[in-house]
Amino acid sequence: VVYRIKNRFNNRKRKVFRYAGARRDKIIKMDLYLTYKTLHILFMVSWFAGIFYLPRLFVYHVESDSLEVKNQLSIMEKNLFKFITPLGILALIFGILMGLLSSNWSAFFAQDWIVVKIIVVFLLVSYQLMCWKIMQELPGDNHNWTGFKLRVFNEAPVILLLLGIIAAVFKF
């Protein structure tokens, strides 16, 4: 009888510890997920701030008549581009890390809203590469960009941001 009671107690104790271990793993995984999510949002917002401002510098560059101002704007454009590129890379890294915490990667990356976000990210990277190309063309005045064209170009990331937010919030 004493052996049975002891054995029953030990079995319960094992179940409790097994449950606590599984729960601890879930808590650590959730803490990691929330940390990655926070960092992803921080770097994404910072990246977007730069992406919104860079084409505005292009508009000032194209519309300026002063060579001195154009040279100063070129320096600002290059510095901003160097600053926002690592922010975009970190936003991508933490976004991917959030996805990799999923227990079923193929199911996670097959969701429609994730596919939309991946497309949005691809388009944003393409947009930033286009900004780099414009930045290379502006100092030599061998471009066909006008202030109006650059203002329209500046609106593209707003649409991409809206698509990304809708995908993330509604998870369609």
Side-chain angles (χ1 to χ4, degrees):
V1 174
V2 172
Y3 174 75
R4 236 186 248 160
I5 292 171
K6 218 180 210 184
N7 196 18
R8 205 178 288 163
F9 175 74
N10 284 336
N11 284 341
R12 283 187 189 146
K13 198 162 107 177
R14 274 190 219 122
K15 285 180 185 177
V16 167
F17 286 131
R18 207 174 307 138
Y19 173 75
R23 190 160 152 68
R24 185 186 69 237
D25 292 343
K26 284 182 182 180
I27 289 171
I28 289 171
K29 200 171 189 180
M30 183 55 79
D31 285 346
L32 257 180
Y33 177 80
L34 293 175
T35 302
Y36 292 162
K37 188 175 187 176
T38 301
L39 291 171
H40 172 69
I41 291 169
L42 171 72
F43 291 121
M44 187 267 315
V45 168
S46 302
W47 184 31
F48 263 100
I51 283 180
F52 288 150
Y53 188 56
L54 188 58
R56 177 54 55 189
L57 291 176
F58 296 159
V59 171
Y60 299 149
H61 191 125
V62 167
E63 293 181 346
S64 175
D65 293 328
S66 168
L67 184 61
E68 189 177 308
V69 171
K70 286 185 178 194
N71 289 338
Q72 182 63 40
L73 287 168
S74 289
I75 292 168
M76 291 171 65
E77 292 160 6
K78 288 176 186 167
N79 287 341
L80 181 59
F81 192 87
K82 287 179 194 174
F83 182 74
I84 66 172
T85 300
L87 296 173
I89 291 168
L90 287 168
L92 290 170
I93 288 170
F94 286 110
I96 291 168
L97 286 174
M98 281 191 304
L100 294 178
L101 283 177
S102 173
S103 58
N104 187 350
W105 295 348
S106 59
F108 179 78
F109 287 107
Q111 297 176 79
D112 290 340
W113 71 277
I114 288 294
V115 172
V116 168
K117 281 194 71 168
I118 290 170
I119 291 169
V120 165
V121 168
F122 175 76
L123 291 172
L124 278 170
V125 170
S126 301
Y127 183 87
Q128 187 169 345
L129 290 173
M130 184 68 179
C131 285
W132 180 79
K133 184 176 181 255
I134 293 169
M135 195 172 63
Q136 300 303 311
E137 294 172 353
L138 285 181
D141 289 332
N142 57 345
H143 59 83
N144 60 355
W145 290 98
T146 64
F148 177 76
K149 285 182 184 177
L150 287 168
R151 282 183 177 87
V152 172
F153 178 73
N154 195 22
E155 298 307 317
V158 175
I159 295 165
L160 294 174
L161 176 63
L162 183 62
L163 284 172
I165 290 172
I166 289 170
V169 169
F170 291 104
K171 297 188 186 338
F172 48 80

